[in-house]
Amino acid sequence: MRPVAFLIAAGAFFVAALTAAPAHAQLSENGGPVSYSADNLEYFDGERRLVLTGDVDIVQNDARLRADRITMFFSQSGGGQSAGQGGLGSGDIERMIAEGEVYYVRPAQSARGNRAVYEVAQDAVTFTGNVVVASDENVIRGETLVLQIGNRRTTIRPTPGQRVRGVFVPRDNPQGGSGN
């Protein structure tokens, strides 16, 4: 896969993974029920904040998000008079923060970092800290991955004083050559 094609594939992978429609956070492009497990759950009703800690594992269809801690911030529920009556995790997710050995995995694609923040309003996800993005045999490493979902722009930045590193494995040209 050519470098440009890999970056587009990495971007598309996150786009499909995190959004099925604007203002609705999704792990899987097909949506569906989200199951989770964690050692602890704490919900702060006044703040509309759900905190899962300890070996957190969230699964939706073929997508899995794992981290030491995941915090979700919810908007007010829509729908007229019941809008102010929320419960545990009701409303749409506005922001999600995953911390501590964050892994996001889908078939043939994965991302890893120390922290990931998904902001629905900005339509962006940012992975920070020892970021590794892999698709098939292709790998990119850096300190920060920023994906602006709506405009399909992916940026990978290195640690200051370092360089972004990557490996691309061509599929179509086993003889080598200078395919740009």
Side-chain angles (χ1 to χ4, degrees):
M1 186 180 282
R2 294 181 302 174
V4 172
F6 177 69
L7 287 177
I8 291 169
F13 146 78
F14 281 107
V15 169
L18 293 175
T19 61
H24 297 287
Q26 298 286 330
L27 295 175
S28 171
E29 67 185 73
N30 297 321
V34 177
S35 63
Y36 62 87
S37 64
D39 292 339
N40 298 293
L41 178 149
E42 207 170 350
Y43 183 70
F44 301 87
D45 194 37
E47 301 171 32
R48 304 191 56 77
R49 178 172 54 112
L50 175 69
V51 180
L52 301 166
T53 56
D55 195 22
V56 182
D57 190 12
I58 298 177
V59 177
Q60 184 180 42
N61 288 324
D62 63 353
R64 168 172 263 140
L65 176 65
R66 292 182 13 230
D68 297 330
R69 174 186 177 110
I70 296 178
T71 304
M72 291 180 243
F73 298 86
F74 294 89
S75 65
Q76 294 293 328
S77 299
Q81 294 179 1
S82 65
Q85 299 173 349
L88 180 63
S90 64
D92 291 328
I93 295 172
E94 290 181 339
R95 181 173 60 166
M96 184 169 22
I97 301 171
E99 301 171 288
E101 294 297 318
V102 179
Y103 293 93
Y104 180 76
V105 179
R106 292 206 33 206
Q109 301 168 324
S110 66
R112 184 190 70 73
N114 296 337
R115 187 171 199 259
V117 178
Y118 174 54
E119 296 279 355
V120 175
Q122 281 74 37
D123 205 20
V125 63
T126 302
F127 271 80
T128 55
N130 300 311
V131 175
V132 177
V133 179
S135 179
D136 297 322
E137 296 178 37
N138 303 305
V139 178
I140 299 175
R141 297 176 190 272
E143 183 62 21
T144 305
L145 163 70
V146 178
L147 175 66
Q148 296 168 337
I149 297 167
N151 63 15
R152 302 183 77 132
R153 180 176 177 177
T154 302
T155 305
I156 299 178
R157 296 185 190 106
T159 302
Q162 304 269 326
R163 297 171 56 95
V164 173
R165 298 175 313 202
V167 174
F168 301 102
V169 179
R171 290 187 194 174
D172 299 327
N173 190 2
Q175 301 296 324
S178 62
N180 282 7

